[in-house]
């Protein structure tokens, strides 16, 4: 776990970071199943878009589109947290 990176963090920064993580979790769980699945396969399992397409039995362009849409949704909902 990376908590060691936050040892020198101020209480305010820790609170903001925790809020961002909680909001990210809520937004990830609010995504459509296919969107969440593609994000997790790409970022957690480090699969390429072609590998994801093969695994899900769909065209690579579908994976690109779903990935892009999911990221746009996350950016829209999380951007206010970073604009403080």
């Amino acid at each position: 776990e990376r908590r060691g990176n936050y040892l020198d963090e101020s209480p305010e920064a820790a609170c903001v970071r925790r809020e961002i993580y909680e909001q990210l979790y809520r937004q990830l769980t609010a995504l459509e199943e296919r969107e969440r699945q593609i994000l997790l396969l790409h970022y957690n399992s480090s699969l390429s878009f072609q590998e994801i397409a093969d695994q899900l039995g769909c065209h690579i362009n579908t994976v690109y589109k779903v990935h892009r849409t999911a990221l746009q949704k996350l950016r829209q909902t999380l951007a206010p947290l970073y604009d403080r």
Side-chain angles (χ1 to χ4, degrees):
E1 195 168 292
R2 292 195 207 171
R3 289 182 187 208
N5 294 343
Y6 304 115
L7 289 177
D8 296 330
E9 188 174 54
S10 71
E12 295 82 12
C15 183
V16 169
R17 181 179 47 81
R18 194 169 28 258
E19 185 179 344
I20 289 170
Y21 285 164
E22 289 170 2
Q23 184 68 12
L24 176 59
Y25 177 79
R26 281 193 295 274
Q27 295 307 319
L28 280 171
T29 57
L31 289 174
E32 295 177 19
E33 177 62 30
R34 186 90 159 185
E35 293 169 335
R36 185 173 45 256
Q37 184 179 30
I38 287 173
L39 288 180
L40 292 175
L41 287 171
H42 186 63
Y43 294 106
N44 284 356
S45 300
S46 300
L47 295 182
S48 69
F49 290 133
Q50 185 61 60
E51 291 170 323
I52 295 169
D54 293 343
Q55 184 170 331
L56 298 180
C58 62
H59 196 278
I60 190 170
N61 288 340
T62 302
V63 175
Y64 282 129
K65 181 180 177 186
V66 171
H67 176 266
R68 183 179 62 245
T69 300
L71 287 182
Q72 287 172 339
K73 287 180 180 180
L74 291 176
R75 284 185 188 116
Q76 287 175 342
T77 56
L78 297 174
L81 293 175
Y82 288 98
D83 292 338
R84 295 181 182 183

